Amino acid sequence: MFLQKPAVIPSLFSLIMCCTTIANEKHTLNAALPPGHNFELLDWNISLPIDTNKDGQVDIIPAVYLEKGFEYKPYFYTADDGGMVFTAFVEGVKTSKNTKYTRSELREMLRRGDNSVNVKGVTKNNWVFSSVRGQTQRQAGGVDGTLKATVAVNNVTVTGETTQVGRVIIGQIHAKDDEPARLYYRKLPNNTKGVIYLAHEPRKGNEQYYEFNGSRASNIEDPIDGIALNEKFSYVIDVKGNTLTVSLIREGKEDITHVIDMTDSGYHKRDQYMYFKAGVYNQNNSGNPKDYVQATFYRLENSHTGYNY
């Protein structure tokens, strides 16, 4: 490596059917509204770490239901200040047999509720780098991409293995099989503040890590430039061609930015497709089952060349 689910609960189907319809126009954040009325969620779905219909898989809520006003405590709901809350306990259903950790996480869906478009592949549901050939670009839903978010991490795990405690992923770029970008927040139990760091996973070779405001190590003292729980900050994940740029933005402080050259990472191939993810992806499976991660989002904006929404 380089440095640089709970007790029996009601069926989600019944909850979805009783959701209110979305308002005709967007509002500023309002604590009385569900997340889909405060945020544009028609181009996202959400995976929750539960299996209410007992089919052996996580519950995935489609974009159209998010837009109509779906929420489900304690995993996904509107906070008292209008923010969009995501929660994932150590114990819960995983998204696949190969997934080690639980998540309450949005997955970008550029098809915007059009089920005739395939979810996977180079389709109008996903985006590609502008470094791929033009024909592939035309098949995709967008080219290159920017994800902007403002978030506060409210809780991280305090139990479990030393290497896992306190870790949560709050934003990603996912490709066909790999992850060009995973953005982490980590706070150790004895510290008052946490740090932000980025992992870039080339298709071949070791993962590369980039630290923003302190070390990601498991034995650090309180980071001088750290971020406390419930403290708001912003991030931007941006791709143009083979260049990945990720910035940490905080009020009253200079932005911290890493620029990664992905020319040799293998994502410019014509079979590679991308989608953003945002929410909480718990990176601890060794702690107390009821230990959890939680974050509240106050801004979430995704954009792509050729995607005009």
Side-chain angles (χ1 to χ4, degrees), residues 110 124 127 137-138 140-144 303-309:
L110 300 185
K124 294 301 181 182
W127 54 280
Q137 292 184 30
R138 291 188 290 273
V143 176
D144 293 335
S303 60
H304 307 278
T305 300
Y307 179 68
N308 301 314
Y309 294 96

Side-chain angles (χ1 to χ4, degrees), residues 88-91 155-159 282 287-293:
F89 296 90
V90 169
E91 180 182 64
N155 198 78
V156 293
T157 56
V158 295
T159 61
N282 195 341
N288 184 299
K290 299 304 179 185
D291 207 353
Y292 68 99
V293 294

